[in-house]
Amino acid sequence: VQLQAFGGGLVQTGGSLRLSCAASEAIFKINHMGWYRQAPGKQRELVASITDGGNTNYKDSVKGRFTISRDIAKKAVYLQMDSLKPGDTAVYYCNLDGYSDPWQSLEVWGQGTLVTVSS
């Protein structure tokens, strides 16, 4: 299973971007999907996650600006990012946690997409 992430780019402060990520194969069960980011010289951190039941969790600094959503049928997760700030500049990675079949757990990372916010 692979995750394909799209949507990064260069945007000015206050602008918006929408990231998309989809699994390449059928998944037996998705527990949760999420977006992480890693800025230069910093550790990877969780930005937002969503469970199969639709419960969401956000990093404090993005609450009210970012919105995570998912399409179960498409095995996809999205991140709408509004009111972007220079501090949001990072490589964004999508992540999937679940089961490929009833007995095999699965965790997959996407290849990363660069988001750059200019001041």
Side-chain angles (χ1 to χ4, degrees):
V1 178
Q2 294 183 337
L3 293 179
Q4 299 287 337
F6 302 94
L10 174 64
V11 64
Q12 292 185 334
T13 296
S16 296
L17 284 173
R18 178 177 170 86
L19 305 183
S20 302
C21 177
S24 60
E25 301 176 19
I27 305 292
F28 174 73
K29 184 181 187 300
I30 296 175
N31 292 329
H32 56 80
M33 298 183 77
W35 289 95
Y36 291 71
R37 68 186 183 189
Q38 187 167 18
K42 295 187 177 181
Q43 291 187 336
R44 190 173 298 189
E45 61 182 7
L46 175 66
V47 176
S49 64
I50 185 166
T51 67
D52 61 340
N55 295 318
T56 58
N57 180 50
Y58 294 94
K59 178 180 173 60
D60 284 347
S61 64
V62 307
K63 287 180 180 177
R65 300 189 297 122
F66 291 10
T67 303
I68 189 170
S69 60
R70 86 267 191 259
D71 185 325
I72 295 174
K74 295 182 178 179
K75 308 177 297 298
V77 64
Y78 310 98
L79 187 67
Q80 177 66 41
M81 304 185 294
D82 298 318
S83 302
L84 282 160
K85 304 175 181 180
D88 296 318
T89 295
V91 177
Y92 284 70
Y93 299 89
C94 58
N95 171 270
L96 180 154
D97 178 276
Y99 287 83
S100 57
D101 62 45
W103 308 277
Q104 182 64 52
S105 61
L106 179 73
E107 182 178 22
V108 187
W109 289 91
Q111 82 279 16
T113 184
L114 177 62
V115 172
T116 303
V117 184
S118 63
S119 57

